[in-house]
Amino acid sequence: MSIETSVAGSVVVIGDALIDEIRDDSGVRELVGGAALNVAVGLRRLGVATTLIAMVGADEAGEHIREYLADHGVRLIESAAPHGSSRAVVQRAADGEPDYVFNEAARKRSIRYSDAARDAIAEAGLVAISCFPFDVPAEVDALLEAAAGARLAIDPNPRTGMLSDRDEFVKGFERAAAGAAIVKVGADDAAILYDGDLGALRARLRDLGVGAVLATAGADGAILETDAGTAAAPISDLPGRVVDTVGAGDATLSAVAAGLVGGSPARLVEWRALLTRAMDIAAATCRAEGGLLRTPESLAEAERGVFGS
């Protein structure tokens, strides 16, 4: 079921899993999503053994999430969901960008760490964190205690519909990011959390001791700043039209994280190759609806009538 050669080691992903209820001119439809879930499934599709730690409800939506993860070979370690499964109603804004309205479960998301979760974290080569409630100090405390000593890959991924305290979010995010192996940030993150200056945010994160900073800027491509130097890559020009940009950032993080499971590259040429491949994967993911990671190879196979993962 993987679409690339298996990568040694494993990754634990911590964050959100939800149902995207998409409403547009075509009607209403539901897709399993969530940034952390997309990253976990993306890693598995790249051949990495992956565990997702997320809040999933004992309801029909939760069953869809569990089935989807099982279909993709992702191990799920559940955290209790007293408000049921998270849901996001997604509509297109006037500028074409998705507008999200989150239910109570998503706004009050919380993660607790069972013995199984702690064991998985301890054994993982990398722990990726995305769309986490960094604005809740108790959640950050629990995360840092459970992940003490782990190599971290962090995407703050703030959602305005779930953000209760911007200043507290920044404080919690920076506590977790200090010393992380890699942090991914985008232009939207800089606009929501800081003053909109993505370059200044990159510098701030490096000052916090982040090993590598991956900064994505939509049509302007991405920059990867590391101890070995700085690599830049434009967006990849692939055949076919862009269908949906949702999931592009998650695909980028999945692709880079897959290359870091066994350790961080020492040479800039290796970082540059990793970034270029990530941009190819992000572009392929944009050629279909939803956040499911695609690769250029999988698109080519689909064109030849070869379907599957």
Side-chain angles (χ1 to χ4, degrees):
M1 76 147 266
S2 78
I3 51 180
E4 291 203 346
T5 304
S6 179
V7 179
S10 64
V11 176
V12 167
V13 183
I14 302 171
D16 62 333
L18 51 76
I19 297 294
D20 284 323
E21 182 182 315
I22 301 172
R23 300 182 180 183
D24 57 22
D25 294 340
S26 301
V28 179
R29 57 200 178 282
E30 295 185 353
L31 298 174
V32 174
L37 181 144
N38 288 339
V39 171
V41 172
L43 280 159
R44 187 66 195 100
R45 286 172 62 79
L46 294 174
V48 181
T50 308
T51 296
L52 175 64
I53 300 174
M55 190 183 73
V56 180
D59 48 27
E60 184 177 356
E63 288 306 310
H64 289 315
I65 292 168
R66 293 181 187 91
E67 182 179 7
Y68 182 85
L69 291 169
D71 286 347
H72 286 283
V74 174
R75 177 192 181 198
L76 172 64
I77 297 179
E78 298 182 26
S79 186
H83 302 287
S85 294
S86 298
R87 175 177 292 267
V89 176
V90 187
Q91 293 182 303
R92 293 289 173 185
D95 61 1
E97 288 298 311
D99 180 51
Y100 296 88
V101 177
F102 296 95
N103 69 354
E104 183 183 30
R107 296 193 306 273
K108 295 182 178 180
R109 64 202 190 286
S110 176
I111 296 177
R112 290 295 175 264
Y113 304 90
S114 62
D115 289 343
R118 292 171 183 274
D119 288 345
I121 290 170
E123 295 167 2
L126 190 70
V127 175
I129 303 157
S130 185
C131 206
F132 186 86
F134 286 114
D135 49 353
V136 182
E139 294 290 331
V140 179
D141 290 342
L143 169 68
L144 295 182
E145 191 273 330
R151 294 175 65 238
L152 301 183
I154 301 177
D155 182 352
N157 216 337
R159 304 290 182 88
T160 54
M162 291 193 285
L163 190 63
S164 62
D165 188 320
R166 173 186 173 277
D167 291 342
E168 197 63 57
F169 191 102
V170 169
K171 188 184 303 182
F173 162 56
E174 292 189 353
R175 281 181 61 202
I182 189 167
V183 173
K184 174 193 167 294
V185 288
D188 288 348
D189 302 328
I192 294 171
L193 298 178
Y194 295 88
D195 60 1
D197 188 336
L198 187 55
L201 176 53
R202 282 164 40 204
R204 182 176 180 84
L205 291 170
R206 291 285 285 161
D207 287 343
L208 288 173
V210 176
V213 177
L214 171 61
T216 59
D220 292 327
I223 292 176
L224 189 51
E225 193 168 325
T226 76
D227 290 339
T230 300
I235 59 172
S236 298
D237 185 14
L238 297 182
R241 68 184 183 91
V242 172
V243 175
D244 188 357
T245 59
V246 172
D250 301 333
T252 302
L253 180 59
S254 297
V256 172
L260 301 181
V261 180
S264 298
R267 299 185 300 154
L268 183 59
V269 65
E270 296 170 315
W271 282 109
R272 185 175 290 115
L274 191 59
L275 178 60
T276 300
R277 178 59 174 165
M279 297 305 286
D280 287 345
I281 288 173
T285 300
C286 291
R287 264 61 184 178
E289 184 180 44
L292 181 65
L293 180 147
R294 273 90 171 174
T295 66
E297 295 81 8
S298 68
L299 293 181
E301 289 178 350
E303 289 178 359
R304 296 197 304 269
V306 180
F307 298 97
S309 61

